[in-house]
Amino acid sequence: MDITRFIVARREKALLVGDYALYRTQLSRRLLVVRKKLGYASKGRKYTPKAPITAEDISSNHEFVHLLLLSAERAWALALHMKSTHAADAGAKGITGSTKTHIVSRLQKANTYASQLVNLLQEIDQSGAPLLEARAYQQSLRGAIAFEKGNWDKCLQAYAETRLLYTALARSAGAKQDDLFKDLLSNTIDPSIRYAAYQSKLPRTLTTERIVARYVPRENNPFVEEALLSFPDLLQESGATGRVNAAGQLADVPRTITWRSRTVNLEDASTAQALASVAAAETKLRSFLAANQNSDRRAKATAYDDVLLPSQDAVDATKTAIDELSAEGVPQGDARMQSLQITRTAVNYNLVEWRIGRNRVLCGTQDGALFENESVKKRKKPRADGNSRDEQEENKGRKLARLKERVVLYDSTIQSLDSVKDFPGVAADGAFVSELDAKKAYFSSLRAYVGRCLAIARSHMLHGNKRNTLALLSRALDLSSKTGLEIQSSESAAEDIPKLELKPAQAKSLKDLLERSVLQHRAMVELEKLSAASSPNNNFKPPPMVERLDEYPADGVDLTNLVTYPPTFQPIPVKPIFLDVAWNYIDYPGRLKKGSSRAMEGNAEEARSREEPKKEAKKGWFGFGR
């Protein structure tokens, strides 16, 4: 009797391809099928009332539970369809008049079916998850009714109990149904609670957990008592400094945030909760990287997703809070607006740091400066002779593909750094702008352009172009020398999680690597020159310069070998269509006799045809003319 999954699955399936009208149509069809199966369908055109559903019916057949749920959902779908249809035509006061009354009446009808289901489950002494799910569903409908009527206290009470029950069900269900209840809370329940709290003039710093703890009805409520009996920490008043994460553990929720030695209060509770999730995910990421230092770079980069998602949630929550204050007419000079702007800059910069850290992990060792061969998977099937297969070396195609991927990551890092200057308050902070320009210059030279030069140079090296490789490596060394940056070590740079901050040893190691590479390839080019000079084929004359315009003359231009003079008879490329048109007009040697014989045969046939008398053609159908 999985009530929540039964409802959510049908909603998602219908709303994925249509709207609430389609959902109501599907419910009507399914409701007719269930009624026929249970013998509740009317025979003929005349409506005949049926006996009400009893507790014995539900205990004998669970299809009666589906009958009540489908009836409630159909009424709810009609109310939501009318609300969405008239939302565009509504003015500043919203939907009013008979339409509003009709919407409320449909929600009340849905609440009647849900209340009937809860009472019947209580009569059969049903306890545990089915009863709590039915009660949570019924309270969500009661909250929707109060929401439409504008009774915000009753709305908060109903939705607070709904959230409490769904949170308890999510913990008891485990990881299998955690996403089901989490999506239901984040998409429907939590936004309604936040809006009702806003209409009730509650402070924005109140977290959702504190609102639930304040408004949940505890007296004479066996459902809340049953949930608290299983999980006593559901209503802990530590919501101001802590929140319960997905693992059921209490995580610290910050009250302030620091940006450039300036500390401000967090004016929005959703932002504080998202930052608490970021801190918890960062701790988890640090432990993962410490325990899996030799793991694949893609596995390490995937672990960053758990930090990037709540960081993006913090950015979205801050922007939403700023938009709400702007809609209320709060000026930009207000203290709350200033705090939110500073918070927005801090959370956006934090998100950029995590993105750059993920790119650096994907680049590999020393941010891609060292190009190491990846292991190729062995085939499990042994050889025909029974011996084990030897390890295969990575081919050139895969190496070049990895280099191209690395160039894309460098470009993404530069784009992320360029976006920081668009954040609020960054342009007015001269010290931070200069620091940001220094970081951008460092990444542009040592990470992006140097990385690009290294990647292209290694591409030439794989193809055997040693001179091009030397030129690009020399360019990379010049860029790294022209930066002139002295990177200062900081606390964040000493962390074991790669982010935006850099260590002085990283710049020095990259410069040393470039110097060694330049010396190595310079020696290889010199050896190539010496071998070419001492080879016996030194009398070989290359093609004229006009035919080698795509090659750079490293040894100078031979002015005696610019063109071929005098020009020799040689084939040139011609479009095939010209030859096809001229085919019938070209005579080649040896083809003349065949043509003349064919002409003679043609003349003989023409002479015979002249000697034969012509027969008169018959006129008409029967041989006589008209």
Side-chain angles (χ1 to χ4, degrees):
M1 196 185 298
D2 198 348
I3 296 175
T4 305
R5 185 172 294 278
F6 178 82
I7 295 171
V8 173
R10 292 187 175 276
R11 288 182 183 179
E12 291 181 352
K13 183 179 179 181
L15 298 179
L16 186 63
V17 296
D19 54 359
Y20 293 103
L22 176 63
Y23 183 39
R24 181 173 178 268
T25 303
Q26 293 179 357
L27 290 171
S28 300
R29 294 173 182 172
R30 182 59 187 171
L31 193 59
L32 180 60
V33 173
V34 175
R35 283 176 176 173
K36 288 182 178 180
K37 185 184 299 185
L38 299 176
Y40 268 68
S42 300
K43 297 180 180 179
R45 296 182 179 179
K46 187 176 180 181
Y47 171 74
T48 56
K50 300 296 180 182
I53 300 176
T54 61
E56 289 76 9
D57 296 335
I58 292 180
S59 59
S60 61
N61 192 349
H62 289 333
E63 288 291 335
F64 287 97
V65 176
H66 296 169
L67 180 62
L68 293 174
L69 291 176
L70 292 172
S71 302
E73 279 292 289
R74 186 173 66 167
W76 176 84
L78 179 58
L80 269 291
H81 172 63
M82 290 188 295
K83 186 176 179 179
S84 61
T85 303
H86 294 83
D89 302 334
K93 295 183 179 180
I95 302 175
T96 58
S98 59
T99 304
K100 187 78 168 182
T101 305
H102 196 186
I103 292 174
V104 173
S105 68
R106 294 301 91 192
L107 292 175
Q108 288 177 345
K109 183 177 182 180
N111 183 41
T112 302
Y113 285 115
S115 301
Q116 183 182 358
L117 176 60
V118 174
N119 296 331
L120 291 175
L121 291 177
Q122 285 181 317
E123 289 182 11
I124 62 175
D125 295 334
Q126 180 70 43
S127 60
L131 182 59
L132 293 181
E133 289 184 27
R135 176 66 177 182
Y137 176 65
Q138 186 251 338
Q139 287 298 106
S140 66
L141 295 176
R142 284 187 58 191
I145 295 172
F147 190 94
E148 296 298 329
K149 290 183 177 180
N151 194 342
W152 305 116
D153 288 339
K154 290 185 178 180
C155 178
L156 286 173
Q157 292 176 5
Y159 278 125
E161 184 177 351
T162 302
R163 193 181 193 282
L164 180 74
L165 296 179
Y166 278 136
T167 304
L169 289 170
R171 292 197 194 181
S172 60
K176 293 183 179 180
Q177 296 186 355
D178 187 32
D179 294 338
L180 172 67
F181 293 103
K182 187 182 297 183
D183 295 341
L184 186 61
L185 290 176
S186 61
N187 296 334
T188 307
I189 308 301
D190 287 350
S192 302
I193 293 177
R194 298 305 307 177
Y195 185 79
Y198 165 73
Q199 293 292 341
S200 300
K201 308 298 181 182
L202 295 179
R204 296 179 181 272
T205 55
L206 285 179
T207 60
T208 307
E209 286 78 9
R210 290 200 66 186
I211 297 174
V212 171
R214 179 181 298 185
Y215 283 92
V216 66
R218 308 183 192 184
E219 298 180 358
N220 300 324
N221 195 335
F223 307 99
V224 176
E225 293 177 358
E226 183 179 353
L228 293 177
L229 186 62
S230 302
F231 304 99
D233 59 341
L234 286 176
L235 294 180
Q236 284 185 354
E237 286 295 336
S238 58
T241 59
R243 73 186 292 265
V244 178
N245 54 21
Q249 300 175 354
L250 196 63
D252 293 334
V253 174
R255 293 183 178 181
T256 60
I257 188 171
T258 303
W259 168 251
R260 300 288 299 171
S261 69
R262 184 174 179 180
T263 303
V264 296
N265 295 325
L266 290 173
E267 299 292 338
D268 186 65
S270 301
T271 306
Q273 292 178 0
L275 291 176
S277 301
V278 172
E282 182 178 352
T283 304
K284 183 179 178 182
L285 176 62
R286 182 177 288 105
S287 60
F288 174 81
L289 294 178
N292 301 273
Q293 296 181 358
N294 298 327
S295 60
D296 186 40
R297 57 187 177 90
R298 293 185 179 86
K300 294 180 180 179
T302 305
Y304 274 77
D305 294 341
D306 297 335
V307 185
L308 289 172
L309 291 177
S311 299
Q312 185 65 49
D313 293 340
V315 172
D316 297 339
T318 307
K319 184 178 182 302
T320 303
I322 293 175
D323 294 341
E324 290 177 356
L325 287 181
S326 300
E328 294 175 9
V330 178
Q332 293 293 329
D334 189 78
R336 294 177 297 171
M337 186 66 74
Q338 291 293 323
S339 299
L340 284 174
Q341 293 290 353
I342 294 174
T343 304
R344 182 181 181 183
T345 303
V347 296
N348 276 282
Y349 186 74
N350 188 27
L351 178 61
V352 168
E353 283 187 324
W354 286 115
R355 285 177 178 172
I356 293 177
R358 183 177 183 272
N359 292 342
R360 294 175 64 186
V361 170
L362 281 174
C363 287
T365 307
Q366 294 186 9
D367 300 334
L370 298 180
F371 188 74
E372 300 175 351
N373 294 329
E374 290 187 351
S375 59
V376 182
K377 294 183 178 179
K378 292 184 178 181
R379 296 178 59 183
K380 296 182 179 180
K381 186 177 180 181
R383 297 174 56 179
D385 55 2
N387 298 328
S388 60
R389 297 183 180 272
D390 298 333
E391 293 185 0
Q392 297 180 358
E393 186 180 357
E394 189 178 13
N395 54 18
K396 292 183 179 180
R398 293 189 60 181
K399 290 181 180 179
L400 294 176
R402 287 201 290 134
L403 290 172
K404 292 178 182 178
E405 178 186 357
R406 194 162 296 177
V407 170
V408 174
L409 292 173
Y410 293 142
D411 294 338
S412 176
T413 301
I414 298 302
Q415 292 177 3
S416 299
L417 285 173
D418 290 337
S419 65
V420 176
K421 291 186 178 181
D422 298 333
F423 298 160
V426 172
D429 192 349
F432 180 68
V433 169
S434 60
E435 180 183 349
L436 189 64
D437 290 338
K439 288 183 179 179
K440 180 183 177 182
Y442 177 82
F443 273 97
S444 298
S445 59
L446 297 183
R447 292 301 180 263
Y449 295 112
V450 173
R452 180 184 291 273
C453 291
L454 279 172
I456 300 176
R458 284 186 175 129
S459 300
H460 288 300
M461 183 175 60
L462 292 174
H463 288 295
N465 300 329
K466 297 182 178 60
R467 294 187 179 183
N468 296 342
T469 305
L470 177 60
L472 291 172
L473 287 175
S474 178
R475 174 61 177 167
L477 182 59
D478 293 341
L479 288 172
S480 62
S481 302
K482 290 179 181 180
T483 55
L485 299 177
E486 295 181 359
I487 303 173
Q488 299 178 357
S489 60
S490 59
E491 295 179 359
S492 57
E495 291 181 355
D496 51 355
I497 300 180
K499 292 174 69 175
L500 182 56
E501 298 297 334
L502 303 169
K503 299 178 182 179
Q506 293 176 344
K508 186 177 182 303
S509 62
L510 182 58
K511 188 175 181 180
D512 295 342
L513 176 63
L514 288 173
E515 290 177 351
R516 292 195 302 268
S517 300
V518 168
L519 292 176
Q520 178 185 1
H521 286 81
R522 186 174 296 167
M524 293 172 64
V525 170
E526 291 295 333
L527 290 176
E528 187 177 14
K529 287 183 179 180
L530 293 175
S531 61
S534 61
S535 60
N537 296 328
N538 51 3
N539 296 327
F540 172 74
K541 188 176 182 180
M545 187 65 190
V546 71
E547 299 179 7
R548 296 183 291 112
L549 295 178
D550 57 337
E551 297 181 7
Y552 178 75
D555 299 331
V557 180
D558 186 6
L559 299 179
T560 62
N561 192 22
L562 295 180
V563 295
T564 303
Y565 186 82
T568 60
F569 184 79
Q570 58 184 358
I572 59 174
V574 181
K575 294 183 179 180
I577 189 173
F578 294 156
L579 296 178
D580 295 340
V581 172
W583 173 258
N584 297 327
Y585 302 94
I586 296 176
D587 289 335
Y588 294 96
R591 189 181 174 192
L592 183 61
K593 294 182 179 180
K594 294 182 179 179
S596 59
S597 62
R598 290 178 182 176
M600 294 175 61
E601 292 177 359
N603 295 332
E605 291 179 358
E606 184 178 359
R608 292 193 198 96
S609 62
R610 290 178 180 177
E611 292 177 359
E612 293 180 357
K614 295 183 178 180
K615 298 180 180 180
E616 296 183 358
K618 295 182 179 180
K619 300 180 179 180
W621 288 357
F622 302 102
F624 51 85
R626 298 179 180 177

